[in-house]
Amino acid sequence: MNKSRFLALSFLLTLSGFGAAYAQAPALAAGTYKLAVGAKAPCQLTITAEGAVSQAADCDTGANLTKWAPTSTGYQLISASGETYAVLKPHGESLEGQTFADQRKVVLSH
């Protein structure tokens, strides 16, 4: 009886691992994007395949964004101090989410 419970539990854990791997967000392509934060006008953000981010001089996000990193369901934008600025998830042709600190809407699009 214990062996069948162990096998059932092992099988469920294996399936949940496959589900998490399958749920990974698609790769974020390197290039120039438009970043809109709250009601502010969009500004340019350049993203590299290695995970670096550079924002245009007129980009008033309230933080100096320097990195992006994949999460299990999307991406996070990270400030120079290492804090998570925003968590973004795929939404149609763009990535949408909220800033971590003050819950302002963030949209990253081409």
Side-chain angles (χ1 to χ4, degrees):
M1 187 69 160
N2 285 338
K3 185 176 179 181
S4 63
R5 285 185 184 171
F6 174 74
L7 290 173
L9 181 59
S10 297
F11 179 72
L12 289 174
L13 289 174
T14 301
L15 284 180
S16 67
F18 284 124
Y22 182 73
Q24 290 254 327
L28 188 59
T32 302
Y33 290 82
K34 292 178 187 172
L35 178 69
V37 180
K40 296 180 181 180
C43 61
Q44 283 193 342
L45 198 69
T46 304
I47 293 177
T48 68
E50 294 78 32
V53 171
S54 60
Q55 54 194 73
D58 66 344
C59 203
D60 184 22
T61 61
N64 181 19
L65 303 177
T66 57
K67 291 190 231 176
W68 68 270
T71 65
S72 62
T73 59
Y75 301 94
Q76 64 180 346
L77 294 175
I78 303 168
S79 68
S81 62
E83 297 175 345
T84 297
Y85 174 74
V87 177
L88 306 173
K89 295 180 181 178
H91 188 266
E93 295 292 315
S94 63
L95 295 168
E96 293 185 8
Q98 294 180 334
T99 57
F100 192 74
D102 56 8
Q103 310 305 298
R104 290 183 293 162
K105 183 177 182 177
V106 178
V107 178
L108 186 66
S109 61
H110 271 291

